Amino acid sequence: MWRFSGNQMKLWRAKANISREQLAAAANYSPDTIKSMEQGVRMPTPRVLDVADELCRAGGLLSAAKEYLSREKFPARAQEFMEREKEAIGRWSYESMLIPGLLQTEGYARALIENRYPPLDEETVEKRIAARMERQAILTERKPPVAVSFVVYEAALRSPFVNAEQLSRLLEASHLRNVVLQVLPFERVISDALMGPMVLLETGDHERFAFTEGPFASELSADPEVVSRVTGRLSMIRAQALSPDESARFIERMVDRRE
C-alpha cells in the first residue's frame, strides 16, 4: 500500500507537471523525504497526500489513500513477512544485535522505535509499538501452538536498552512449552553468526520461507537454495549456542547482577 500510494502520487505529480521540489515546499518536507515516500520506503503522510491531491488536481483520489494507509502497522519492507508469519506452524530465528520482536517488552520496543532516523511521527510510533505487542500472541494464543525457536547473541543482551524487566521477559517466554530460547555467548561465536539476523518460517502447507533483514533492505524468499542456506546457518548457530537450560541460567545471572 505504501508503494502503490507513493507511485500514484508520483504519477499524478508528473501528469500535473509538478516537481518534487514544489510538492516538498508546499507540504513542508524535504525533496528527499518526498522521494522516499514515492518509492515506498516511507509511508506517505496524510498531509503530503492532501497537498499533492490539491496541487495535482487529483479530485480526492490521492487523499482517499489515507484511510488505507492508516491500517498499515508495519514497515513496507516487512509487510509480506508479517503475513507469512501469521500462517506459520514453525518459526526459527537468530538475532545478533536486538532482542527479537516477539520477546520485547513495550519499554524496549518503544526505546527502539522512538529513536529511529529519520524520526517517525507520534501516531506511527504508537501504531508500531501496538503492532509489535499484538504479534506476540503467536507465542500463547495460536491453536495448535506454533513451534518457536530463538537464538540470541550475547551482544543483544548486553545492549544498554536491555534492563532487568526485559531479561525477565526472556525467562518468562523460555518457560512456554512451545518456545525454545538459546543464548550464543561471545566465546562460542562463529562467522555465520556475525552476518546478521535471519528467520525461517514453515507454513501449514509445509512451505518454507527464509527472511533476512538489514538496516536498509529485507528479503523474504521461498527459493530452495536460499532456504537451504539459511537453514544450514541456523543449524550451525544453534549447535554452538548454550542449551535451553544453560541459557536460562545465563540470563538469570544477568538479572541477579542488575538487581
Side-chain angles (χ1 to χ4, degrees):
M1 195 61 202
W2 288 19
R3 292 192 296 271
F4 178 77
S5 299
N7 186 57
Q8 287 297 302
M9 188 166 68
K10 180 180 179 180
L11 292 175
W12 275 98
R13 182 174 59 74
K15 181 180 179 181
N17 199 29
I18 301 293
S19 70
R20 185 176 289 141
E21 289 71 20
Q22 287 175 302
L23 175 56
N28 199 27
Y29 282 91
S30 72
D32 283 344
T33 299
I34 297 298
K35 180 180 180 181
S36 67
M37 290 180 184
E38 291 181 344
Q39 293 177 338
V41 177
R42 296 186 65 174
M43 184 183 79
T45 64
R47 175 178 173 78
V48 167
L49 289 169
D50 285 339
V51 171
D53 194 281
E54 183 176 351
L55 277 179
C56 302
R57 299 179 183 178
L61 294 177
L62 289 175
S63 293
K66 292 187 294 183
E67 176 187 355
Y68 300 95
L69 286 170
S70 66
R71 301 173 186 172
E72 300 287 0
K73 298 179 180 179
F74 302 103
R77 61 182 182 161
Q79 291 288 337
E80 188 177 359
F81 169 75
M82 297 304 174
E83 291 303 313
R84 295 298 184 183
E85 187 179 69
K86 292 177 183 177
E87 307 168 359
I89 61 170
R91 186 188 189 281
W92 302 265
S93 69
Y94 167 70
E95 184 59 69
S96 56
M97 297 304 296
L98 301 173
I99 300 299
L102 293 178
L103 301 178
Q104 292 177 8
T105 62
E106 183 174 340
Y108 180 92
R110 182 176 296 278
L112 295 181
I113 295 171
E114 283 187 337
N115 290 284
R116 294 281 173 83
Y117 184 85
L120 300 172
D121 61 82
E122 189 63 30
E123 181 181 2
T124 301
V125 167
E126 295 304 323
K127 285 183 178 178
R128 296 276 177 87
I129 294 171
R132 190 162 297 183
M133 297 300 102
E134 289 171 9
R135 274 182 66 210
Q136 297 180 3
I138 190 176
L139 301 179
T140 57
E141 298 181 14
R142 290 273 297 276
K143 295 182 180 180
V146 180
V148 187
S149 172
F150 300 97
V151 180
V152 182
Y153 186 35
E154 184 177 348
L157 304 180
R158 301 291 181 186
S159 164
F161 292 122
V162 175
N163 55 19
E165 179 188 15
Q166 178 60 76
L167 293 172
S168 296
R169 166 63 180 144
L170 296 179
L171 290 172
E172 177 187 325
S174 72
H175 295 147
L176 297 172
R177 289 189 303 106
N178 59 314
V179 174
V180 174
L181 174 62
Q182 295 176 262
V183 173
L184 177 67
F186 289 135
E187 63 268 20
R188 294 195 182 187
V189 70
I190 58 176
S191 59
D192 280 331
L194 300 176
M195 298 178 68
M198 60 194 87
V199 182
L200 188 67
L201 297 175
E202 183 175 0
T203 69
D205 296 328
H206 302 294
E207 185 175 15
R208 289 197 165 193
F209 293 88
F211 182 68
T212 53
E213 186 173 17
F216 303 110
S218 302
E219 179 186 14
L220 180 70
S221 177
D223 184 321
E225 183 177 344
V226 175
V227 170
S228 176
R229 188 161 62 245
V230 169
T231 301
R233 287 178 178 172
L234 280 172
S235 297
M236 290 178 64
I237 292 170
R238 290 176 68 190
Q240 292 299 316
L242 300 175
S243 72
D245 287 342
E246 291 171 328
S247 297
R249 289 193 291 272
F250 185 97
I251 297 172
E252 285 169 354
R253 289 194 295 270
M254 291 186 68
V255 173
D256 290 341
R257 293 191 200 103
R258 292 176 184 236
E259 292 180 342

